[in-house]
Amino acid sequence: MKISSRFRSVAVGVIAAAGVGFASTAYADSGTIRFAVYKAAFFIGGSGGEGTLTFHGRRYPISVGAVSGGFAFGVSKTYFRGTVRNIRRARDVAGVYGAAGGGGALGKGAQVIVMTNDKGAQLELSGRQVGLQVNADLSGMSISLK
C-alpha cells in the first residue's frame, strides 16, 4: 500500500507540532511564592503588599497590587503562601491575575484561591487572614518582580 506524499507531510507536521507542545509543557517548572497583602474595602477595595518568589533555588522579591469591586467592606491583612506552576523563568510569574470569590474574617479567617495569568502561570494559594472583612467580589491582582 502506497501512502501519498501529501498525507505523509501532514502526518509529520502533526507529530512535530504535538512534540513541540509536549516539550514546552515538559520544560515548564514550578516554584513557591509567599506574600502579605493589606486590603481595605468599602464596595471598591484596594490592596497591596510584597513577598518572595523562590524559583530554582533563587529568591526574587515581588510586589503585589490589587483592585476589587462588588460587595466588600473592612480592613484585613492576609499572609499567602503557595505554589506557582507552569513557569519557565521567574519573570513568567509577573502579570495580571483575575478572580471571583468571597470570604470573610472576624479577627481570624482563611482564604484559598487558584488564579492564572496571561502567560499560563498558575497560582495555588492559601492564606491566613487577620482583621474584619466581608467580601463577595471580582478582583484583579498584579504581580511584578522588583
Side-chain angles (χ1 to χ4, degrees):
M1 179 180 205
K2 203 171 196 184
I3 298 175
S4 75
S5 63
R6 173 177 253 174
F7 177 76
R8 198 172 348 170
S9 297
V10 169
V12 168
V14 167
I15 291 169
V20 169
F22 289 131
S24 64
T25 301
Y27 289 115
D29 210 346
S30 63
T32 59
I33 193 165
R34 305 177 113 186
F35 57 91
V37 175
Y38 292 93
K39 180 176 183 177
F42 186 74
F43 293 103
I44 295 175
S47 57
E50 52 188 31
T52 305
L53 165 69
T54 304
F55 184 64
H56 289 174
R58 291 189 59 200
R59 293 176 176 233
Y60 300 88
I62 60 170
S63 294
V64 179
V67 175
S68 61
F71 176 74
F73 70 90
V75 178
S76 67
K77 181 177 185 181
T78 306
Y79 300 91
F80 283 107
R81 63 185 299 169
T83 303
V84 58
R85 300 187 190 286
N86 301 326
I87 59 174
R88 291 179 186 81
R89 299 170 296 276
R91 67 177 177 249
D92 289 345
V93 76
V96 176
Y97 297 80
L106 179 59
K108 292 183 181 180
Q111 293 227 343
V112 176
I113 192 163
V114 176
M115 299 183 286
T116 304
N117 73 5
D118 61 334
K119 297 173 196 151
Q122 182 181 47
L123 294 177
E124 298 171 1
L125 302 170
S126 62
R128 59 182 171 70
Q129 193 172 27
V130 179
L132 171 61
Q133 179 196 337
V134 175
N135 68 297
D137 55 11
L138 297 173
S139 61
M141 180 173 69
S142 174
I143 295 179
S144 60
L145 292 174
K146 289 185 178 181

Short mmCIF file of all heavy atoms in Angstrom, two decimals, residues 16 19 43-44 50 54 57 67-68 85 87 93-94 97 119 123 130 134 137 142:
data_model
loop_
_atom_site.label_atom_id
_atom_site.label_comp_id
_atom_site.label_asym_id
_atom_site.label_seq_id
_atom_site.Cartn_x
_atom_site.Cartn_y
_atom_site.Cartn_z
N ALA A 16 5.17 16.56 14.66
CA ALA A 16 6.14 17.57 15.08
C ALA A 16 5.49 18.63 15.97
O ALA A 16 6.05 19.02 16.99
CB ALA A 16 6.78 18.23 13.85
N GLY A 19 4.84 17.18 19.34
CA GLY A 19 6.10 17.06 20.07
C GLY A 19 6.54 18.37 20.66
O GLY A 19 6.99 18.42 21.80
N PHE A 43 -17.12 48.65 49.25
CA PHE A 43 -17.64 48.33 47.92
C PHE A 43 -16.52 48.22 46.89
O PHE A 43 -16.45 47.27 46.15
CB PHE A 43 -18.74 49.29 47.46
CG PHE A 43 -19.97 49.16 48.30
CD1 PHE A 43 -20.26 50.09 49.28
CD2 PHE A 43 -20.82 48.09 48.14
CE1 PHE A 43 -21.37 49.97 50.07
CE2 PHE A 43 -21.94 47.95 48.94
CZ PHE A 43 -22.23 48.90 49.91
N ILE A 44 -15.65 49.19 46.82
CA ILE A 44 -14.47 49.09 45.97
C ILE A 44 -13.28 48.99 46.90
O ILE A 44 -13.16 49.74 47.85
CB ILE A 44 -14.33 50.33 45.05
CG1 ILE A 44 -15.50 50.39 44.07
CG2 ILE A 44 -13.00 50.29 44.30
CD1 ILE A 44 -15.53 51.62 43.21
N GLU A 50 3.95 42.85 49.45
CA GLU A 50 5.18 42.36 48.85
C GLU A 50 5.51 41.00 49.42
O GLU A 50 4.96 40.58 50.43
CB GLU A 50 6.31 43.34 49.04
CG GLU A 50 6.55 43.78 50.43
CD GLU A 50 7.57 44.91 50.50
OE1 GLU A 50 7.67 45.72 49.56
OE2 GLU A 50 8.28 44.94 51.50
N THR A 54 10.39 31.94 45.14
CA THR A 54 11.57 31.09 45.16
C THR A 54 11.48 30.16 43.97
O THR A 54 10.52 29.40 43.83
CB THR A 54 11.67 30.28 46.47
OG1 THR A 54 11.64 31.18 47.58
CG2 THR A 54 12.95 29.47 46.52
N GLY A 57 16.01 27.60 43.40
CA GLY A 57 16.93 27.91 44.49
C GLY A 57 17.24 29.38 44.69
O GLY A 57 17.97 29.73 45.61
N VAL A 67 -7.14 45.35 42.89
CA VAL A 67 -8.35 46.15 42.95
C VAL A 67 -9.53 45.18 42.93
O VAL A 67 -9.49 44.18 42.22
CB VAL A 67 -8.44 47.12 41.75
CG1 VAL A 67 -9.75 47.87 41.75
CG2 VAL A 67 -7.27 48.08 41.74
N SER A 68 -10.56 45.47 43.72
CA SER A 68 -11.74 44.61 43.72
C SER A 68 -13.00 45.47 43.73
O SER A 68 -12.97 46.62 44.15
CB SER A 68 -11.73 43.68 44.93
OG SER A 68 -11.76 44.42 46.14
N ARG A 85 2.86 27.38 39.26
CA ARG A 85 3.16 26.31 38.30
C ARG A 85 3.19 26.86 36.88
O ARG A 85 2.70 27.94 36.61
CB ARG A 85 2.09 25.23 38.38
CG ARG A 85 1.98 24.58 39.74
CD ARG A 85 1.03 23.38 39.73
NE ARG A 85 0.75 22.90 41.06
CZ ARG A 85 1.59 22.20 41.81
NH1 ARG A 85 2.79 21.93 41.36
NH2 ARG A 85 1.25 21.80 43.01
N ILE A 87 5.76 27.74 34.88
CA ILE A 87 6.66 28.85 34.56
C ILE A 87 8.00 28.29 34.07
O ILE A 87 8.41 27.20 34.48
CB ILE A 87 6.88 29.81 35.75
CG1 ILE A 87 7.46 29.10 36.96
CG2 ILE A 87 5.58 30.51 36.10
CD1 ILE A 87 7.83 30.02 38.11
N VAL A 93 6.00 34.74 36.32
CA VAL A 93 5.01 34.93 37.39
C VAL A 93 4.42 36.34 37.33
O VAL A 93 3.30 36.58 37.79
CB VAL A 93 5.62 34.65 38.78
CG1 VAL A 93 6.52 35.78 39.24
CG2 VAL A 93 4.55 34.38 39.81
N ALA A 94 5.14 37.27 36.72
CA ALA A 94 4.65 38.65 36.62
C ALA A 94 3.46 38.71 35.67
O ALA A 94 3.42 38.02 34.66
CB ALA A 94 5.77 39.56 36.11
N TYR A 97 -3.67 38.74 37.21
CA TYR A 97 -4.47 37.56 37.54
C TYR A 97 -5.88 38.04 37.88
O TYR A 97 -6.04 39.07 38.53
CB TYR A 97 -3.90 36.83 38.75
CG TYR A 97 -2.50 36.29 38.55
CD1 TYR A 97 -1.39 37.11 38.65
CD2 TYR A 97 -2.31 34.94 38.27
CE1 TYR A 97 -0.11 36.60 38.47
CE2 TYR A 97 -1.04 34.43 38.10
CZ TYR A 97 0.06 35.27 38.20
OH TYR A 97 1.32 34.77 38.03
N LYS A 119 0.25 34.44 30.80
CA LYS A 119 1.37 33.61 30.34
C LYS A 119 1.17 32.15 30.71
O LYS A 119 2.02 31.32 30.43
CB LYS A 119 2.67 34.11 30.97
CG LYS A 119 3.05 35.51 30.55
CD LYS A 119 4.25 35.98 31.33
CE LYS A 119 4.37 37.48 31.21
NZ LYS A 119 4.99 38.08 32.37
N LEU A 123 -1.25 30.22 40.00
CA LEU A 123 -1.02 30.37 41.44
C LEU A 123 -2.02 29.51 42.19
O LEU A 123 -3.23 29.59 41.94
CB LEU A 123 -1.21 31.82 41.88
CG LEU A 123 -0.24 32.86 41.36
CD1 LEU A 123 -0.65 34.24 41.86
CD2 LEU A 123 1.17 32.54 41.79
N VAL A 130 -6.20 38.20 58.93
CA VAL A 130 -6.42 38.85 60.21
C VAL A 130 -7.12 40.17 59.93
O VAL A 130 -6.71 40.92 59.04
CB VAL A 130 -5.08 39.11 60.94
CG1 VAL A 130 -5.31 39.81 62.26
CG2 VAL A 130 -4.31 37.81 61.14
N VAL A 134 -15.55 41.35 54.99
CA VAL A 134 -16.54 40.50 54.32
C VAL A 134 -16.49 40.88 52.86
O VAL A 134 -16.48 42.07 52.51
CB VAL A 134 -17.96 40.73 54.88
CG1 VAL A 134 -18.97 39.92 54.11
CG2 VAL A 134 -18.01 40.39 56.35
N ASP A 137 -16.86 39.41 45.64
CA ASP A 137 -16.47 40.39 44.64
C ASP A 137 -15.65 39.80 43.50
O ASP A 137 -15.28 38.64 43.53
CB ASP A 137 -15.67 41.52 45.30
CG ASP A 137 -14.47 41.04 46.09
OD1 ASP A 137 -14.10 39.86 45.99
OD2 ASP A 137 -13.88 41.85 46.82
N SER A 142 -2.16 42.09 40.42
CA SER A 142 -0.99 42.26 39.57
C SER A 142 0.25 41.92 40.39
O SER A 142 0.42 42.41 41.51
CB SER A 142 -0.91 43.70 39.08
OG SER A 142 0.29 43.89 38.37
#
